Amino acid sequence: MCAVAASEVSLDPTVQSFVGEPRKMLIGGQWVAAESGKTFEIYNPATAEVIGHAQSADASDVDKAVKAARKAFDEGPWTRMSPSERQKIVWRIGELIDENTEKLAQLESLDNGKPISVARAADVPMSADMFRYMAGWATKLDGKSISPSVVYAPGAEWHAYSRREPVGVCAQIIPWNFPLLMEAWKLAPALATGNCVVMKLAEETPLSGLFLAELMQQAGLPDGVVNMLTGFGETAGAPLAAHPGADKVAFTGSTEVGKLIVNASQNDLKRVSLELGGKSPNIILNDCDVEKAIAGAANAIFFNGGQCCTAGSRLFVQEGVYDEIVEGLANYARGIKLGPGLDPETQMGPLVSQTQLERVTGYLESGKAQGARAASGGGRHGDTGYFVDPTVLVDVQDNMKVYQEEIFGPVVAATKFKDFDDDLIRRANDTVYGLASGIWTQDISKAHKLAARIRAGTVWVNTYNIFDPSLPFGGYKQSGWGREMGEKVLDHYLEHKTVCVGL
Ligand code: NAI
Ligand code: MG
């Protein structure tokens, strides 16, 4: 039984039993244990207590899952369904997510630590919406009719066209910061385009994905089309990324592991898409709407406890508003209500794990040692669970680790600049990453000039952390390869075939 405090929402009975019983994995339509018999513990990050167990897949389970996906791909019925039939199933998955909002939100909050209010309002509905958006594409994957000239065969005629066909078996490896949403981002486009999938969930957060797999069965997804594995990166993720039976690997996580994925794909030249880390610049100009900029800068770094690849973790503030912004942001940070995710009043939950707690507090120590000062927060919050106080670091220099490396916690490094000039743009771009960026100004000319010169996949103007299935998302430089969402993502999951007919 998973105990919750009086201030927390009482758990749905389905959620209680789902968490309380050891979870199995879905392979070829069957719920199975790991062949090794090994399981691992699932923690509540608000208390550090063990709340459940999941299977620890290794290479032999991965092999079974890839074979099941291969069989489903090669033999149908999924791959022989009409686009409209596929569309209905993908749409139905979205509907079932909506119908199970409270259960999914509770699972997500319990597993990841995020505020239930956020899971209900954002993670769950956005995931449902992703399936519905992608469902629409299933019936619109048309090729082109092409008119070749063929200069070396004058007078001859051809009819040529292109077809868009699924890549095949897709290995998908996802992280723990938005478990359900990452499942949706990866699964929805893969399914809408007719692929089969082996997904490995993050070891920190296996629950919502296993529940989603049940919903997918209910939606009528044939056996083997989605195989859902739980396990660790080295023992389950690595053999999946390297498996010769997978045609593609899609990964979201650290840049470090992204590079390992690229290496693992070398033997058989799998298609690879990567959504990796970030150290995104958020730039506030003197002419901004100060109140909105403060709230926006806070949302940019403190949303999801800063465990966002897009986190606006380098804050550049022009000197005319610097003091006001930093003070406002520090006040905002002090006002954020920390607590267990399942408490409806909670605004920021714990970090996901002991490892992340140590990582983030380690960065805070290193920042202080290098001369940065905390205008708010600065360390662990309380002594139970994995909480860190929302922190605004000032007196930050560009060469500090806290300024250069992805912290993945509620820690922003604020720096001052004098003019809106080339040097500001150089500093904003002076990072190995290029995922996101923000600018706060009332001057549309400056906004567009900056938007064009930032080397990042997304630029938010007078807003931050806005996502939609229609908006392509991904990184420049070491933030990744390719784009998720929007029409753009379809290219990752489709091959283009040229058919040329001599007439
Ligand atoms: P990670 O990159 O190690 O884990 C992400 C996923 O990759 C998990 O499913 C994990 O099991 C899997 N994985 C790990 N090693 C693998 C391997 N050798 N082969 C295949 N799969 C493997 O990230 P982790 O350790 O959870 O967090 C470390 C840091 O990574 C964070 O502090 C943050 O900076 C960054 N990160 C970035 C994310 C993003 O959204 N871009 C998400 C999670 C972490
Ligand atoms: Mg790792």
Side-chain angles (χ1 to χ4, degrees):
M1 270 302 211
C2 173
V4 298
S7 61
E8 299 177 24
V9 298
S10 49
L11 289 180
D12 182 287
T14 316
V15 169
Q16 277 280 10
S17 61
F18 193 85
V19 177
E21 294 155 16
R23 300 313 326 156
K24 291 191 167 165
M25 306 184 285
L26 184 64
I27 299 182
Q30 305 296 314
W31 289 95
V32 297
E35 285 196 344
S36 67
K38 283 190 194 145
T39 61
F40 63 91
E41 293 172 331
I42 307 172
Y43 294 89
N44 176 351
T47 59
E49 283 164 2
V50 175
I51 53 169
H53 292 85
Q55 305 298 319
S56 181
D58 64 20
S60 62
D61 306 293
V62 166
D63 187 55
K64 256 181 17 189
V66 172
K67 284 184 175 139
R70 190 86 251 164
K71 183 166 184 288
F73 189 78
D74 290 342
E75 296 177 12
W78 177 244
T79 30
R80 290 175 201 150
M81 275 182 192
S82 69
S84 162
E85 284 174 291
R86 262 204 328 266
Q87 174 182 41
K88 279 188 203 150
I89 292 176
V90 178
W91 183 278
R92 181 90 189 108
I93 296 169
E95 296 295 276
L96 285 169
I97 291 174
D98 271 345
E99 287 167 28
N100 287 275
T101 296
E102 184 56 22
K103 289 174 196 153
L104 280 164
Q106 289 186 8
L107 282 171
E108 202 72 333
S109 176
L110 197 54
D111 209 7
N112 162 281
K114 67 179 63 207
I116 182 113
S117 57
V118 174
R120 284 173 184 151
D123 297 72
V124 181
M126 285 172 77
S127 302
D129 206 35
M130 186 71 196
F131 279 98
R132 282 187 296 252
Y133 173 88
M134 286 297 162
W137 278 115
T139 51
K140 295 160 196 75
L141 305 173
D142 300 327
K144 263 183 158 181
S145 134
I146 306 169
S147 313
S149 303
V150 198
V151 291
Y152 54 80
E157 283 186 85
W158 284 270
H159 168 54
Y161 59 96
S162 62
R163 287 172 50 81
R164 301 174 85 190
E165 298 177 349
V167 163
V169 171
C170 303
Q172 301 187 321
I173 301 174
I174 61 164
W176 43 261
N177 51 344
F178 295 90
L180 182 66
L181 195 59
M182 293 302 102
E183 290 144 28
W185 280 21
K186 295 264 183 295
L187 290 168
L191 295 178
T193 46
N195 292 278
C196 294
V197 175
V198 178
M199 173 170 274
K200 192 201 78 72
L201 301 165
E203 54 270 40
E204 294 84 356
T205 54
L207 291 172
S208 67
L210 296 173
F211 194 83
L212 177 64
E214 287 187 3
L215 298 183
M216 292 181 151
Q217 289 185 300
Q218 277 176 45
L221 197 69
D223 292 349
V225 175
V226 169
N227 303 276
M228 199 63 94
L229 301 181
T230 49
F232 292 89
E234 295 73 14
T235 42
L240 177 56
H243 199 293
D247 301 288
K248 174 193 166 53
V249 54
F251 172 77
T252 296
S254 60
T255 292
E256 185 194 353
V257 173
K259 291 175 185 175
L260 298 177
I261 300 281
V262 171
N263 289 338
S265 70
Q266 271 186 7
N267 274 343
D268 42 23
L269 296 180
K270 281 184 188 55
R271 280 86 189 99
V272 178
S273 51
L274 303 169
E275 202 262 277
L276 308 174
K279 191 75 186 177
S280 297
N282 194 15
I283 300 170
I284 301 182
L285 304 190
N286 283 340
D287 64 21
C288 70
D289 175 328
V290 168
E291 238 170 81
K292 282 193 186 148
I294 290 170
N299 166 51
I301 188 63
F302 300 134
F303 179 65
N304 215 42
Q307 302 170 117
C308 295
C309 47
T310 52
S313 50
R314 285 182 304 142
L315 185 66
F316 294 88
V317 189
Q318 201 164 5
E319 60 183 15
V321 288
Y322 180 84
D323 291 340
E324 203 181 345
I325 295 280
V326 166
E327 199 193 318
L329 186 58
N331 277 335
Y332 195 110
R334 282 188 285 269
I336 292 175
K337 190 174 181 316
L338 271 68
L342 286 172
D343 184 335
E345 302 288 308
T346 290
Q347 292 171 323
M348 200 175 103
L351 299 182
V352 74
S353 64
Q354 178 72 32
T355 308
Q356 289 303 115
L357 174 68
E358 285 165 15
R359 178 186 166 106
V360 173
T361 50
Y363 273 112
L364 289 172
E365 289 311 314
S366 118
K368 285 179 210 161
Q370 289 191 297
R373 182 171 61 81
S376 73
R380 186 174 179 190
H381 177 91
D383 51 16
T384 309
Y386 313 131
F387 294 90
V388 168
D389 272 322
T391 299
V392 179
L393 292 179
V394 293
D395 300 341
V396 172
Q397 305 300 323
D398 291 17
N399 62 354
M400 290 181 185
K401 272 175 65 168
V402 289
Y403 178 89
Q404 295 192 334
E405 298 178 16
E406 182 175 54
I407 299 177
F408 228 63
V411 183
V412 63
T415 63
K416 197 186 289 188
F417 66 92
K418 194 162 181 297
D419 297 309
F420 178 80
D421 59 6
D422 287 351
D423 193 52
L424 169 68
I425 303 211
R426 181 196 59 75
R427 288 180 69 206
N429 284 331
D430 184 20
T431 162
V432 297
Y433 297 113
L435 193 57
S437 55
I439 175 163
W440 300 82
T441 176
Q442 316 264 27
D443 181 334
I444 57 166
S445 162
K446 285 183 181 152
H448 290 297
K449 274 187 187 159
L450 190 96
R453 292 189 59 193
I454 289 287
R455 306 274 300 153
T458 294
V459 179
W460 283 298
V461 179
N462 295 330
T463 190
Y464 208 95
N465 275 340
I466 292 300
F467 295 93
D468 186 80
S470 66
L471 295 172
F473 174 76
Y476 284 35
K477 300 191 268 181
Q478 294 191 33
S479 289
W481 286 353
R483 296 292 175 268
E484 308 221 53
M485 301 196 285
E487 186 174 0
K488 265 314 236 183
V489 71
L490 302 174
D491 289 339
H492 292 313
Y493 291 99
L494 292 167
E495 291 286 6
H496 284 233
K497 179 182 280 175
T498 301
V499 182
C500 183
V501 186
L503 298 180

